[in-house]
Amino acid sequence: MENYSPIFKDLEEKIVSLILEAKTLEDLTEIKNKYLSKKGEFSQLMNKIREASDKKAFGEAFNNSRKVIEDNYNVKFTKLNEDKINEKLKEEEIDITLPGNNYHRGAENPFYKVKKEIEDIFVSMGYTVETGPEVDLDKYVFELLNIPKDHPARDMQDTLYIDNNSLLRSHTSSIQAHVMEKANGKPIKIICPGKTYRRDDDDMTHSHQFAQVEGLVIDKNINLGNLKGTLELFAKKMFSKDAKVRFRSSYFPFTEPSVEVDVSCFACHGKGCPTCKGTGWIEILGAGMVHPNVLKMSGYDPAIYSGFAFGVGIERVAMLRYGIDDIRRFYQSDIRFIEEFNKKVED
Ligand code: DAH
């Protein structure tokens, strides 16, 4: 039997040594293309079989040589591949001993806390929450609320106009006018929270922009006692279990009779302290029985229907509730104030 292996030996050794020297998978691919692919130098040696007298022996010698190369190739391939994976793992290693990222958690502005609380209290009494436009027509802000063009009550609120006929609403009572217009003479039980705007000098207790919640109930047989009971329940839930309310007579064009409502001081329980300026009472809102003219203008017969309404400042309630000294703090987005406040409430 002829020995054909010398034909392949030189190239075999050369290729094996190249494989052993290869540093990367790319080097290996290059070797494969150059020597071992169909047209590669080593594969081409097979063409010499034509000249061989013992073709079987030639084939065997070729295969033996190719196996040596392939074995080396495979070992090297596995090794380089593992190296590559290990390197990648090392690169992506997560050091769990590193300190974590601290996310700064925001806190809710006390204004929104109190707004939600007021809404919850009234929703639990069966009220629905209504909203309305902040830029509104004279008709809804004044006329339908019994404040005609020349009425002196406009002076305090005759304020930020967009044009002759529309303005930034000066109270949320305007929403009451919208709802009454839409209700088509049907009973109403709503609260209307929202921003309001007035010409005002900004100081510790005044702001040209603030927020109110308007309340309105219209039905048969609604009386002042219903209003008092409702506001007392509100005061008990918002301020103190033993809170009482008292009415002082007042004037609003859209209610008759009208009242200023005081709540017994929750800091001293009526004894007199700095919070209530020694009186035992704190003024919190305006209210009254819906004026017959207001009922009539929106399609209710005052002989059949009656109603009460009230308007309370959200910031005012929040300031009393949490002892906040300056209304401007609600709008300054000073995170120190908001966080301090949240701590106080959650502790
Ligand atoms: N609209 C009044 C204001 O802004 C507040 C108010 C008082 C609303 C009495 C009412 C009410 O509904 O009956 O000063």
Side-chain angles (χ1 to χ4, degrees):
M1 198 167 96
E2 286 240 29
N3 182 12
Y4 291 105
S5 27
I7 299 178
F8 310 108
K9 211 64 199 168
D10 281 354
L11 196 53
E12 174 199 305
E13 277 168 8
K14 184 177 166 194
I15 296 170
V16 169
S17 77
L18 284 173
I19 288 173
L20 294 177
E21 280 163 23
K23 299 239 159 17
T24 64
L25 287 170
E26 288 71 35
D27 292 348
L28 275 189
T29 310
E30 220 170 89
I31 293 166
K32 194 175 185 174
N33 289 341
K34 186 158 184 216
Y35 298 101
L36 310 172
S37 64
K38 254 195 192 151
K39 294 235 163 91
E41 254 177 67
F42 185 80
S43 310
Q44 292 294 312
L45 288 180
M46 192 57 188
N47 293 337
K48 296 200 166 157
I49 198 167
R50 276 185 241 119
E51 299 148 26
S53 50
D54 187 343
K55 302 215 172 350
K56 191 173 168 230
F58 185 94
E60 265 171 27
F62 175 82
N63 282 339
N64 287 341
S65 209
R66 187 170 66 180
K67 188 161 183 320
V68 172
I69 296 170
E70 275 177 3
D71 286 352
N72 275 285
Y73 185 94
N74 289 339
V75 168
K76 188 73 183 211
F77 180 87
T78 311
K79 162 97 177 44
L80 288 177
N81 207 29
E82 264 172 23
D83 286 354
K84 194 174 173 182
I85 290 170
N86 286 338
E87 210 162 285
K88 208 163 174 217
L89 284 177
K90 219 184 209 168
E91 262 171 34
E92 291 172 5
E93 200 174 47
I94 296 168
D95 183 353
I96 56 164
T97 64
L98 284 173
N101 291 328
N102 273 333
Y103 291 103
H104 193 92
R105 209 170 154 201
E108 196 172 29
N109 191 305
F111 170 84
Y112 287 103
K113 274 181 185 284
V114 167
K115 176 172 177 272
K116 272 191 223 157
E117 247 177 273
I118 297 174
E119 287 172 4
D120 283 350
I121 291 171
F122 282 100
V123 166
S124 79
M125 291 192 240
Y127 287 69
T128 51
V129 179
E130 293 285 341
T131 53
E134 282 178 38
V135 175
D136 210 348
L137 296 174
D138 186 288
K139 176 181 158 193
Y140 297 101
V141 181
F142 297 127
E143 299 275 342
L144 285 172
L145 295 165
N146 206 27
I147 314 175
K149 287 262 183 304
D150 53 357
H151 198 288
R154 283 197 179 205
D155 283 356
M156 272 170 56
Q157 300 190 15
D158 216 5
T159 181
L160 302 158
Y161 281 83
I162 304 300
D163 57 39
N164 275 345
N165 201 26
S166 50
L167 69 155
L168 287 170
R169 69 179 175 210
S170 53
H171 52 185
T172 43
S173 306
S174 55
I175 308 174
Q176 132 176 6
H178 279 283
V179 174
M180 287 173 81
E181 187 180 60
K182 269 186 280 172
N184 260 327
K186 298 225 169 58
I188 293 174
K189 193 171 178 184
I190 53 159
I191 53 160
C192 321
K195 282 183 195 163
T196 55
Y197 306 84
R198 279 182 204 180
R199 171 187 53 74
D200 234 334
D201 293 328
D202 290 359
D203 61 23
M204 283 173 81
T205 50
H206 296 89
S207 163
H208 61 281
Q209 179 217 292
F210 61 104
Q212 291 183 325
V213 176
E214 179 82 7
L216 174 71
V217 174
I218 296 179
D219 210 331
K220 290 173 184 157
N221 302 317
I222 299 294
N223 60 44
L224 209 59
N226 300 139
L227 172 63
K228 194 166 185 196
T230 302
L231 293 178
E232 195 153 289
L233 191 54
F234 166 67
K236 282 185 200 305
K237 290 197 176 182
M238 179 54 77
F239 298 113
S240 157
K241 270 191 226 109
D242 59 3
K244 291 188 179 47
V245 296
R246 85 175 174 185
F247 284 178
R248 279 179 294 109
S249 101
S250 183
Y251 172 77
F252 298 103
F254 32 88
T255 44
E256 181 57 37
S258 302
V259 291
E260 292 288 350
V261 181
D262 298 338
V263 60
S264 55
C265 179
F266 39 84
C268 66
H269 299 278
K271 284 193 214 80
C273 71
T275 303
C276 59
K277 299 189 186 100
T279 63
W281 295 94
I282 297 169
E283 185 188 321
I284 55 161
L285 55 86
M289 299 305 294
V290 180
H291 196 290
N293 286 350
V294 173
L295 289 170
K296 259 187 263 168
M297 278 188 280
S298 292
Y300 290 85
D301 181 350
I304 302 171
Y305 282 97
S306 56
F308 66 70
F310 58 86
V312 57
I314 298 180
E315 290 89 339
R316 172 137 182 85
V317 172
M319 286 168 84
L320 288 169
R321 166 76 196 269
Y322 297 116
I324 295 165
D325 60 345
D326 191 328
I327 193 169
R328 291 168 292 196
R329 293 194 196 283
F330 290 108
Y331 321 120
Q332 285 162 342
S333 298
D334 183 340
I335 195 76
R336 291 167 306 177
F337 163 69
I338 297 171
E339 275 181 349
E340 198 49 43
F341 168 85
N342 272 260
K343 262 189 237 155
K344 213 158 133 187
V345 172
E346 276 154 22
D347 287 348

